[in-house]
Amino acid sequence: MTQRSAFAFALATVAAACAFTVQAQDFPAGKPVTIVVPFAAGGPTDRVARDLAEALRKPLGGASVIIDNVPGAGSSIGAAKVARAAPDGYTLLLNHIAMATVPTLVRNVPFKVETDFEYLGIVNDVPMTLIAKPSLPANNYAELSSWVTANKGKINIGNAGVGSASHLCGLLYQSATKTEMTPVPYKGTAPAITDLIGGQIDLLCDQTTNTSPQIEAKKVKAYAVTSPKRLTTPLLKDLPTLQEAGLKDFQVTIWHGLYAPRGTPAPIQKKLNEALKAALKDADFIKREEALGAVVATDGRIEPEGHKKFVAAEIAKWSPIIKAAGVYAD
């Protein structure tokens, strides 16, 4: 490289750095920020995203925050869209536990979870409940455990589709109880619950956001929650955790995290993380999440480094379980 070209390169580098600095200072500069949700509108993750979008407006200086639903392939289509987006902070991804399961569930995933995104922080945790058809004879978890043992080889367990939260919880439950059950996949939670109520399937493990109305209406039987501690909501406070029921280390929460494309300038990442942390303290947002049965994150995972370490641990947790089941989304 000649002295002139080296000088030109240095000037270009300084100019780019200055441009990024100005861009970060102005961000979001009156432009709308889009949160891509890799699931259909109306589902639990979509509801979380819309609540978060509203809570982010104020800490982002009043900017519009809009939702773009891009469902398909276990969330990988929407996630891939964000991975390919311009790294300017205006296109973000809100995804749930799928960020830890897609690397195994989708064998030809078009991105790398660990390196193609900037981690901005965990938003919340949604616990799950183990429920059954109303005609099941067991009235508590101890009786359910005995029933499972007595009916090995005859039990079926529904789920909302390969890679769904209910599918993952079902896989972990079978692994923990060392019981092979027949999976019955549906195109969503609603038809799975309908068949559970009708007695066409035996068991279902799904998010409290989906199961609480059915439990309250006494249309299904509820046995346990998948959180590390008992829940405090009046409806579910008497249900034991699966850990205290004897399934050591059994914990499934459907957490949601916020991501930006790789290469998003550090100052913009910082602004987005600060806006997220402000949103997580917003009283209206907390109230909305509690109404969904969700627990707003307050621990170290709200920081980018803590978020990334957590996802890496979740990938390590779910990969062997999915591989053992041999069921994939592609």
Side-chain angles (χ1 to χ4, degrees), residues 35-257:
I35 297 178
V36 172
V37 176
F39 302 98
T45 300
D46 179 68
R47 292 178 67 184
V48 171
R50 292 179 190 276
D51 288 347
L52 181 63
E54 184 63 30
L56 283 171
R57 289 185 62 188
K58 185 176 179 180
L60 286 177
S64 296
V65 183
I66 60 178
I67 302 300
D68 180 18
N69 295 96
V70 187
S75 84
S76 64
I77 294 176
K81 180 176 181 177
V82 176
R84 296 191 302 264
D88 54 13
Y90 291 100
T91 303
L92 308 177
L93 171 69
L94 182 82
N95 203 355
H96 64 20
I97 195 172
M99 287 298 274
T101 59
V102 156
T104 309
L105 271 173
V106 181
R107 288 165 293 188
N108 297 306
V109 64
F111 53 83
K112 292 186 180 301
V113 168
E114 299 93 330
T115 57
D116 285 349
F117 299 93
E118 305 295 351
Y119 290 63
L120 301 174
I122 290 291
V123 176
N124 66 12
D125 293 283
V126 182
M128 305 186 78
T129 41
L130 181 63
I131 59 176
K133 61 185 180 182
S135 61
L136 203 83
N139 293 310
N140 53 52
Y141 186 76
E143 292 181 7
L144 176 67
S145 182
S146 297
W147 180 86
V148 167
T149 300
N151 288 275
K152 285 189 175 182
K154 304 175 186 177
I155 304 169
N156 59 45
I157 185 165
N159 64 64
V162 175
S164 65
S166 51
H167 177 225
L168 297 171
C169 187
L171 289 179
L172 187 59
Y173 186 64
Q174 291 176 74
S175 176
T177 58
K178 297 180 174 58
T179 305
E180 189 172 337
M181 303 177 186
T182 301
V184 184
Y186 291 83
K187 292 183 178 179
T189 299
I193 288 182
T194 297
D195 273 8
L196 185 74
I197 293 170
Q200 279 75 47
I201 55 175
D202 299 317
L203 300 173
L204 179 69
C205 183
D206 210 338
Q207 300 176 61
T208 53
T209 49
N210 296 322
T211 62
S212 293
Q214 315 306 327
I215 295 170
E216 186 171 24
K218 301 186 185 306
K219 292 182 178 180
V220 299
K221 287 189 172 181
Y223 294 103
V225 293
T226 65
S227 50
K229 296 180 181 179
R230 289 198 182 201
L231 303 181
T232 57
T233 55
L235 178 66
L236 304 174
K237 66 181 177 62
D238 293 328
L239 292 180
T241 70
L242 283 169
Q243 288 191 54
E244 70 178 271
L247 299 185
K248 186 180 178 182
D249 299 326
F250 194 108
Q251 181 180 339
V252 185
T253 57
I254 305 307
W255 45 268
H256 294 85

